[in-house]
Amino acid sequence: MEQGPAREAATAVPDPAPEVPPSSSRGGLGGIGSAEALAALGAIGRRLLWLLPVYLAGRAGLSLGFVVAGVALYMGWRGRRMSKERSLRAAGLLLGDEEATVSATASSVGLGRSLGQSELPAWVSFPDVEKAEWLNKILAQAWPFFGQYMEKLLVENIAPNIRASNTHLQTFTFARVDMGEKPLKVIGVKVHTGSNKRQILLDLNISYAGDVQIDVEVKKFFCKAGVKGMQLHGMLRVILEPLIGDVPIVGALTMFFIRRPTLDINWTGMTNLLDIPGLSSLSDTMIMDSIASFLVLPNRLLIPLVPDLHDAAELRSPIPRGVVRVHLIEAKDVQSKDKYIKGMIEGKSDPYAVVRVGTQVFTSKVIDEDLNPKWNETYEFIVHEVPGQELEVELFDKDPDQDDFLGRMKLDFGEVLKAHVLEEWFPLQDGGRARVHLRLEWHTLMSDASKLDQVLQWNKTISSKPEPPSAAILVVYLDKAQDLPLKKSSKDPNPMAQLSVQDVTRESKVVSNTVSPVWDDAFRFFLQDPTTQDIDIQVKDDNRQTTLGSLTIRLSRLLSAENLTLDQWFQLENSGPSSRIYMKIIMRVLYLDAPEVCLNTRPCPPGHLNVTESAHIGSSVDRPPRPTKASPDAHFGTESVVRIHLLEAENLIAKDNFMGGMIKGKSDPYVKVRLGGQKFRSRVIKEELNPRWSEIYEVIVNDIPGQEVEFDLYDKDVDKDDFLGRCKIPLRRVLSTKFVDEWILLEDVKSGRLHVKLECLPPTPSGAELEQVLMVNSLIQTPKSEDLSSALLSVFLDRASDLPLRKGSKPPSPYASLSVRGISFKTKVSPQTAEPVWDEAFSFLVKRPHAESLELQVKDDGHVLGTLSLPLSQLLAAEGLVLDRWFQLNNSGSAIQVLMRVQLGLLISQHSGVEVLHAVEGDESEEGSQKGSAAELYIREDSDSGSVPELRQRVPHANSNLDLSDSPLGQLRLTVWYNMDTRKLIVIVHACRNLKSSAKDAPDPYVSLILLPDKSRVTKRKTTVRKKTLNPEFNEKFEWDLPVDEAQRRKLEAYIKNSVSFVSRGEPIGKVHIDLSQKDLTQGAAQWYDIKDDKSSP
């Protein structure tokens, strides 16, 4: 009781004197430093300034009243300013920590000490869960309009779907839709302020006890039913994620129930039957299951708030926090439910357990007639929200009619996360003295494979039923596919995907009428041994019968990938060459951090593995060293090119009939060619039942089984084209034989056949034969087709480094575009990284490798970060026609580089009818050296019968001195032959040599060809002009559609002229006259002809 005097004594004690610095005690004033002296002088100066107004007022002759008024104004202003500062400071403290501020205020008003929350008055509270009356007022105000929306939704959308689902429900209607006057209420809101700054997490305790009334009627059966009253209670978690720096600030809303909410429905009408005990719980459970299927963890409802939301699938199905392995061991003292003779004889129970986490449910085996059952079963659950998600175990007695309830237990997984391993006997609620024995293990998800071998070894010591223990989980984000093949009816498919790991299969949603579906789905699988398992992907039409493509990925690929993740395009098998699917595949190793586990490589006794290392939650893998070479998969660069020669058709059906079929006409046929997702269409041949197209198409293909080259023939009409037949050739046959030349009978029509040639051209990594390939392509090129490709370019774009940051130091979201001669491809977008990894491959057909370039641009939201122009001539000079290294990009100063493998392969045709050989005329002597060397072209007619002899054409260089002549005007080299395959007369103008020039400058020569006796423009042909040369090279081919007997009656005149101007005709140099009746056109050969005077007679 001496507290009062003691406190007074304490107040009487003067404050202790300030400590004297050591320097002052030693040296007095002389020891004061320069800093202290300056501070003292500054204080004296500030105080002298207070006297300055008085001095100035006296100097100016003003009275003392002015000085007093000025000082009063200043003191009033200063007091008001300090009051505002104290108010703002107090408000800031109150917002920062309300509880501490209130306690401090309570002590300052006379209590004399700080109070804890328990000592404050009862009306002062700081709830963890806050009320949200303002939100309830908004819901109450908006509830009638929500009812209008629900009525419109049910009547206009739901009812038509129900009527269309079954013929017996065609008279189904919603007779009444009334959401009532009692709105949904939010009892409390809790905001979680975690370490994740890119999300806001809310827990809403919702309660709905409404007077909703919904009546339905099926008039056909005079059936009325409905719902009158409903109750729904649960905890709804709302996640606002991601937070973005633009309106509306929040990118998406994610909503889900952590635990299954409780539901109670009051049925009316015929559905009153569902209120019968047993049926009531059954019906409510079925509805609750449907709600849980999309709104209870692990299912989430995602509502995007911005367009083109990236990673929507990852927001809908994020990577789990961990995996809990539940060992259901045994139970004791289970209640006896089996009684006989109206309970006079008490039996036992046949217990089984239902283990549930959200929508993940497992049911144990039934133990017959045992009140102390032993199961020894193991289940694994994926856990997302900790704390929050609960384990629920319910025991039932198996009966023939309705199973009896034996009790339940619940446990929050936060307890398991704290303990890592939790093994206890848990009492059962509503189960009497019954207890259940559980062992719960928290397995951390590791993003590296360093402990996988040890985990696999530990799992071998575990006896697990009904499934072996898992070593990892696999999360697959199925994004989209591109260029899927069409149906057989040439219609767009309705693709869906099936993903299988061992005997577990998941299915995506169906996307209607598209060859480039976007699924945006996510799937999870448990893996027992990732080193040996595969994942199989089947893309099918919605009838599950037609396969549009397939893919098998060995999961061991993930073990060597960064962060055990593959995020890339995958080429589909059994599909087109450009058919591919984009997925992000993530593996996480399950690691148990417990003192009883040792993860070493030495065998240990079962159950006694010693821990040497522990995985830290959230630990990262050391960044691997920067690679020096790209790392494409084994299928990179294995593509081939199929060259399709569409030649002619015979005996087609006449579809153009007149006067009701009394006058038979012909057809206007054309062909549609399909292979590997690519389509081609030939030109239309007017009024012809035996058309000849002579067109060539090229397609990049992979060795994928099941592909076919399809030809569909049609008759061109004004309205709808008529079908003339179809035929197919398996692609595998073309790839194995390398060449197919056949007349194929048309299917689904009475008559007709099609003549085609197909050749497989595998790329050859050698540039020595490029000139010959270009020459051969120019000779076999048809006028109606595009230039033939001479090489295949394969590009594997691995990654980029050192990309510049955006404004505000934010990383870019880069992607790359690659193009060759107008054909371009784009990679995926790598979100927010300056070190993107694309890991994508592309292929291009190249016409002239020495003149074309690969153009690459790295972009961020349309803004170019860097460019690269790689001339393909560099590949021709590289060893093996391959460049595999880092390439420097041209940009605005940053050292951006891309890691890329670029390889070229020549397309050398072995069945073109032209063989290129190198020969040296004569012996290796002086005489032989005078004759020189030449490249020979052998043009032969390939036919099935072999009756047509081989045509050989020798095409030496224009400057070679073979067959030299003393013709004063020079010589012209021509090849004249008749192609029996295409029924065309072909003339190849190779070159001229030693031309005579009448002027001082060299001429600009060209060659003009005329077929006599017809001198019309129809038969005239002309080469291009060669500038300033006496030895021009042309190597140009010209064709005339003539029967062989007509060609043999013609005469060919070749005029060599000098191009003087664009307006005037060429100045004649000379001519060559050839009587085709004197030549064996089937034995044609390249030959030098003497040029004669233009005025001379033949």
Side-chain angles (χ1 to χ4, degrees):
M1 303 304 294
E2 298 176 356
Q3 187 175 4
R7 185 177 300 169
E8 293 176 1
T11 56
V13 177
D15 293 333
E19 295 182 3
V20 180
S23 58
S24 63
S25 62
R26 293 191 194 100
L29 294 173
I32 299 177
S34 59
E36 289 81 353
L38 289 175
L41 290 175
I44 295 172
R46 283 193 298 271
R47 282 161 176 74
L48 290 176
L49 286 176
W50 285 93
L51 300 177
L52 182 62
V54 178
Y55 172 75
L56 293 177
R59 186 77 173 171
L62 298 176
S63 66
L64 186 61
F66 286 97
V67 177
V68 174
V71 172
L73 288 174
Y74 171 76
M75 296 302 294
W77 169 82
R78 181 174 179 81
R80 188 176 183 86
R81 176 171 179 148
M82 294 180 65
S83 175
K84 286 185 177 181
E85 290 180 354
R86 285 194 299 270
S87 177
L88 290 174
R89 193 181 302 112
L93 292 173
L94 185 63
L95 290 176
D97 193 342
E98 183 181 7
E99 181 178 355
T101 305
V102 172
S103 300
T105 305
S107 64
S108 65
V109 296
L111 296 180
R113 60 186 178 89
S114 178
L115 299 181
Q117 182 177 353
S118 60
E119 298 176 282
L120 289 173
W123 49 268
V124 179
S125 64
F126 305 97
D128 188 25
V129 177
E130 303 172 9
K131 292 185 178 182
E133 290 303 321
W134 62 271
L135 183 57
N136 290 325
K137 292 178 182 179
I138 293 175
L139 289 174
Q141 188 77 11
W143 191 253
F145 300 95
F146 175 74
Q148 295 176 15
Y149 167 76
M150 288 300 300
E151 181 178 4
K152 183 178 180 180
L153 176 68
L154 293 174
V155 173
E156 296 182 3
N157 293 359
I158 304 300
N161 293 336
I162 295 175
R163 287 194 289 267
S165 64
N166 195 307
T167 56
H168 300 294
L169 298 177
Q170 291 180 352
T171 58
F172 176 90
T173 58
F174 282 98
R176 181 179 181 182
V177 178
D178 184 6
M179 297 305 295
E181 298 180 356
K182 298 180 180 179
L184 176 76
K185 286 191 175 182
V186 179
I187 305 301
V189 179
K190 181 177 181 180
V191 181
H192 297 270
T193 56
S195 59
N196 191 347
K197 301 301 182 182
R198 287 181 53 83
Q199 68 173 207
I200 300 173
L201 196 148
L202 308 172
D203 280 342
L204 306 180
N205 189 354
I206 63 172
S207 177
Y208 177 63
D211 51 351
V212 57
Q213 184 168 351
I214 301 176
D215 295 335
V216 300
E217 182 179 0
V218 183
K219 296 180 180 179
K220 181 178 180 180
F221 300 100
F222 304 100
C223 175
K224 294 184 179 180
V227 173
K228 186 175 182 180
M230 178 188 301
Q231 294 189 41
L232 179 68
H233 308 279
M235 182 69 71
L236 181 69
R237 176 159 290 182
V238 180
I239 301 177
L240 285 66
E241 182 186 16
L243 301 180
I244 56 179
D246 200 355
V247 177
I249 306 302
V250 178
L253 293 178
T254 305
M255 296 185 293
F256 54 88
F257 287 101
I258 297 179
R259 311 178 192 93
R260 291 166 62 95
T262 58
L263 178 69
D264 186 17
I265 299 175
N266 182 28
W267 304 98
T268 64
M270 288 191 66
T271 52
N272 277 328
L273 297 174
L274 297 177
D275 280 332
I276 298 175
L279 290 181
S280 176
S281 60
L282 177 63
S283 61
D284 292 354
T285 301
M286 292 174 61
I287 296 176
M288 192 64 254
D289 288 342
S290 64
I291 295 175
S293 64
F294 69 93
L295 208 54
V296 176
L297 277 180
N299 305 299
R300 301 172 182 231
L301 176 62
L302 178 69
I303 304 176
L305 301 181
V306 294
D308 301 326
L309 179 66
H310 294 294
D311 301 328
E314 296 186 34
L315 291 175
R316 190 180 295 111
S317 299
I319 299 296
R321 286 283 305 276
V323 170
V324 173
R325 185 172 293 163
V326 178
H327 299 269
L328 177 64
I329 303 173
E330 58 183 327
K332 282 186 177 181
D333 301 328
V334 175
Q335 293 179 349
S336 174
K337 293 291 185 178
D338 296 340
K339 298 182 180 181
Y340 308 98
I341 313 179
K342 297 184 178 182
M344 295 179 61
I345 301 177
E346 184 172 336
K348 295 186 179 181
S349 292
D350 306 318
Y352 68 93
V354 176
V355 187
R356 178 185 291 112
V357 176
T359 59
Q360 306 172 75
V361 182
F362 294 97
T363 302
S364 73
K365 63 185 177 182
V366 178
I367 306 297
D368 294 328
E369 298 185 355
D370 196 339
L371 299 181
N372 298 295
K374 294 184 179 181
W375 291 285
N376 291 318
E377 295 184 1
T378 303
Y379 314 105
E380 293 171 331
F381 295 94
I382 294 175
V383 181
H384 289 87
E385 300 295 327
V386 178
Q389 280 187 278
E390 287 183 339
L391 170 70
E392 182 179 2
V393 180
E394 294 180 321
L395 269 61
F396 294 91
D397 170 37
K398 186 67 177 177
D399 283 332
D401 48 3
Q402 181 179 353
D403 298 343
D404 299 317
F405 178 70
L406 297 176
R408 71 163 54 90
M409 63 80 59
K410 293 183 179 180
L411 179 69
D412 194 292
F413 280 131
E415 301 296 326
V416 185
L417 177 59
K418 294 178 183 178
H420 292 290
V421 176
L422 183 63
E423 184 172 355
E424 287 185 15
W425 285 91
F426 295 93
L428 297 181
Q429 298 176 5
D430 304 324
R433 297 186 299 113
R435 296 179 298 164
V436 62
H437 185 193
L438 301 176
R439 174 185 169 90
L440 310 174
E441 301 172 351
W442 179 272
H443 290 257
T444 303
L445 304 185
M446 299 186 63
S447 59
D448 68 281
S450 60
K451 294 181 174 62
L452 178 60
D453 292 337
Q454 294 90 331
V455 170
L456 291 173
Q457 180 185 346
W458 168 255
N459 286 350
K460 291 178 182 178
T461 67
I462 300 175
S463 176
S464 175
K465 296 178 182 180
E467 298 291 338
S470 301
I473 65 167
L474 186 72
V475 181
V476 181
Y477 295 108
L478 179 65
D479 192 348
K480 56 188 173 182
Q482 285 184 354
D483 301 326
L484 297 179
L486 300 176
K487 295 181 180 180
K488 292 184 178 180
S489 57
S490 299
K491 295 182 180 179
D492 288 336
N494 302 319
M496 53 81 64
Q498 290 181 340
L499 296 85
S500 302
V501 176
Q502 283 188 340
D503 56 347
V504 178
T505 300
R506 307 272 192 265
E507 289 190 355
S508 74
K509 63 185 178 184
V510 177
V511 183
S512 301
N513 301 323
T514 179
V515 296
S516 298
V518 177
W519 291 293
D520 203 16
D521 278 345
F523 309 93
R524 292 175 288 268
F525 300 90
F526 282 103
L527 306 176
Q528 277 77 46
D529 189 353
T531 62
T532 60
Q533 290 180 278
D534 303 330
I535 180 171
D536 296 319
I537 299 100
Q538 298 278 338
V539 181
K540 297 183 178 182
D541 200 9
D542 58 352
N543 57 11
R544 300 337 190 247
Q545 300 297 323
T546 305
T547 299
L548 304 176
S550 62
L551 174 65
T552 299
I553 302 174
R554 296 194 64 83
L555 298 181
S556 56
R557 285 182 57 186
L558 285 159
L559 300 179
S560 58
E562 185 176 4
N563 292 329
L564 306 184
T565 302
L566 292 178
D567 187 5
Q568 65 181 65
W569 286 99
F570 295 90
Q571 189 73 29
L572 285 175
E573 301 173 356
N574 303 320
S575 189
S578 57
S579 299
R580 55 181 187 166
I581 188 170
Y582 189 82
M583 294 184 296
K584 183 176 184 179
I585 307 176
I586 302 174
M587 183 190 297
R588 291 294 181 261
V589 177
L590 305 183
Y591 173 68
L592 176 60
D593 185 7
E596 63 203 66
V597 182
C598 171
L599 302 179
N600 55 24
T601 56
R602 295 177 300 174
C604 301
H608 296 281
L609 298 176
N610 302 315
V611 172
T612 57
E613 296 180 84
S614 64
H616 180 67
I617 297 177
S619 62
S620 60
V621 184
D622 291 337
R623 184 175 178 179
R626 170 169 154 161
T628 58
K629 300 288 184 181
S631 55
D633 57 24
H635 299 287
F636 173 72
T638 59
E639 301 93 343
S640 299
V641 175
V642 170
R643 188 170 285 171
I644 304 171
H645 298 256
L646 177 64
L647 299 177
E648 58 185 324
E650 286 184 352
N651 302 325
L652 298 182
I653 298 175
K655 290 288 186 178
D656 296 336
N657 299 325
F658 307 96
M659 298 181 66
M662 297 177 61
I663 300 176
K664 289 189 175 288
K666 295 187 178 182
S667 292
D668 306 323
Y670 68 92
V671 184
K672 291 182 178 179
V673 184
R674 291 195 302 272
L675 172 60
Q678 296 196 41
K679 302 177 183 178
F680 305 93
R681 176 170 171 168
S682 73
R683 72 183 191 277
V684 178
I685 307 297
K686 295 291 186 180
E687 297 184 357
E688 183 62 60
L689 300 181
N690 299 296
R692 283 183 290 151
W693 292 281
S694 299
E695 297 183 9
I696 302 176
Y697 314 106
E698 294 175 318
V699 183
I700 302 173
V701 298
N702 287 321
D703 188 9
I704 299 174
Q707 296 187 91
E708 294 178 321
V709 189
E710 300 179 33
F711 302 88
D712 293 334
L713 279 72
Y714 293 90
D715 168 41
K716 183 65 178 178
D717 283 333
V718 178
D719 47 3
K720 183 179 180 181
D721 299 345
D722 298 317
F723 179 70
L724 296 178
R726 67 166 53 94
C727 59
K728 300 177 182 178
I729 297 178
L731 180 61
R732 179 58 62 87
R733 178 185 171 195
V734 181
L735 298 180
S736 59
T737 62
K738 303 300 182 185
F739 183 71
V740 174
D741 181 3
E742 281 189 5
W743 282 93
I744 309 172
L745 294 178
L746 298 179
E747 301 174 358
D748 302 329
V749 289
K750 295 181 180 179
S751 66
R753 62 175 186 162
L754 182 67
H755 186 196
V756 295
K757 288 184 179 180
L758 295 94
E759 183 179 6
C760 176
L761 304 175
T764 303
S766 172
E769 302 183 42
L770 177 60
E771 292 186 8
Q772 291 85 346
V773 170
L774 294 173
M775 182 175 291
V776 169
N777 286 351
S778 66
L779 296 179
I780 66 175
Q781 175 67 47
T782 62
K784 303 297 182 180
S785 302
E786 295 182 358
D787 292 340
L788 297 181
S789 302
S790 60
L792 177 66
L793 177 67
S794 299
V795 181
F796 179 79
L797 185 59
D798 194 319
R799 65 188 67 200
S801 68
D802 301 325
L803 298 185
L805 300 179
R806 293 178 177 177
K807 293 181 180 179
S809 300
K810 293 183 179 180
S813 297
Y815 67 93
S817 64
L818 302 92
S819 63
V820 174
R821 207 187 62 260
I823 306 299
S824 62
F825 296 99
K826 288 184 179 180
T827 67
K828 65 187 178 186
V829 176
S830 296
Q832 298 186 352
T833 176
E835 306 281 340
V837 177
W838 290 297
D839 196 21
E840 296 187 51
F842 309 94
S843 297
F844 300 88
L845 287 173
V846 179
K847 311 295 183 184
R848 298 183 176 275
H850 56 284
E852 298 179 18
S853 300
L854 170 65
E855 305 293 336
L856 182 144
Q857 289 185 329
V858 178
K859 299 180 180 180
D860 172 31
D861 196 19
H863 175 66
V864 178
L865 302 179
T867 62
L868 171 67
S869 181
L870 178 64
L872 301 187
S873 56
Q874 294 186 18
L875 282 169
L876 295 174
E879 182 179 357
L881 307 188
V882 175
L883 292 176
D884 190 352
R885 58 181 174 84
W886 287 92
F887 293 85
Q888 184 74 35
L889 298 189
N890 300 318
N891 65 328
S892 58
S894 179
I896 302 179
Q897 290 182 312
V898 294
L899 179 59
M900 186 168 56
R901 178 182 176 92
V902 189
Q903 64 186 45
L904 195 69
L906 296 188
L907 304 177
I908 302 175
S909 175
Q910 304 295 335
H911 302 274
S912 62
V914 181
E915 291 186 3
V916 182
L917 301 174
H918 293 280
V920 177
E921 298 296 328
D923 299 329
E924 295 181 2
S925 59
E926 181 180 353
E927 180 181 359
S929 63
Q930 290 177 354
K931 290 184 178 180
S933 63
E936 294 185 344
L937 294 180
Y938 295 90
I939 302 179
R940 66 175 184 273
E941 299 293 331
D942 293 321
S943 80
D944 295 337
S945 62
S947 60
V948 181
E950 188 181 51
L951 288 179
R952 296 196 175 189
Q953 311 174 171
R954 182 184 160 85
V955 189
H957 193 277
N959 293 329
S960 72
N961 51 8
L962 303 177
D963 302 328
L964 287 176
S965 170
D966 55 357
S967 173
L969 299 179
Q971 290 182 307
L972 172 66
R973 187 169 182 81
L974 298 174
T975 295
V976 183
W977 62 295
Y978 190 84
N979 189 338
M980 292 293 186
D981 227 358
T982 60
R983 302 175 188 174
K984 293 180 180 180
L985 175 67
I986 296 177
V987 176
I988 303 174
V989 181
H990 297 290
C992 296
R993 65 183 179 188
N994 301 329
L995 295 180
K996 180 182 179 181
S997 176
S998 58
K1000 293 182 180 180
D1001 297 329
D1004 298 335
Y1006 68 93
V1007 179
S1008 176
L1009 303 174
I1010 300 177
L1011 274 182
L1012 299 177
D1014 186 5
K1015 290 190 176 183
S1016 65
R1017 291 186 176 180
V1018 178
T1019 63
K1020 286 185 178 181
R1021 306 286 190 272
K1022 186 173 71 172
T1023 69
T1024 56
V1025 177
R1026 302 300 185 214
K1027 297 291 185 179
K1028 308 299 181 183
T1029 177
L1030 297 175
N1031 299 288
E1033 291 187 14
F1034 301 102
N1035 292 319
E1036 297 183 33
K1037 184 177 71 170
F1038 303 96
E1039 299 177 347
W1040 289 266
D1041 289 323
L1042 294 172
V1044 62
D1045 54 346
E1046 176 69 19
Q1048 291 175 340
R1049 292 195 295 267
R1050 296 295 186 104
K1051 295 179 177 61
L1052 175 68
E1053 283 197 347
Y1055 292 89
I1056 299 89
K1057 298 182 180 181
N1058 176 25
S1059 178
V1060 178
S1061 66
F1062 178 75
V1063 180
S1064 62
R1065 293 186 175 181
E1067 177 184 284
I1069 297 176
K1071 72 175 181 179
V1072 171
H1073 182 88
I1074 303 174
D1075 188 352
L1076 300 184
S1077 63
Q1078 304 299 318
K1079 296 183 67 67
D1080 185 357
L1081 298 180
T1082 61
Q1083 297 285 338
Q1087 182 178 343
W1088 286 103
Y1089 295 89
D1090 291 339
I1091 300 176
K1092 298 182 179 180
D1093 190 359
D1094 183 33
K1095 299 179 181 179
S1096 63
S1097 58

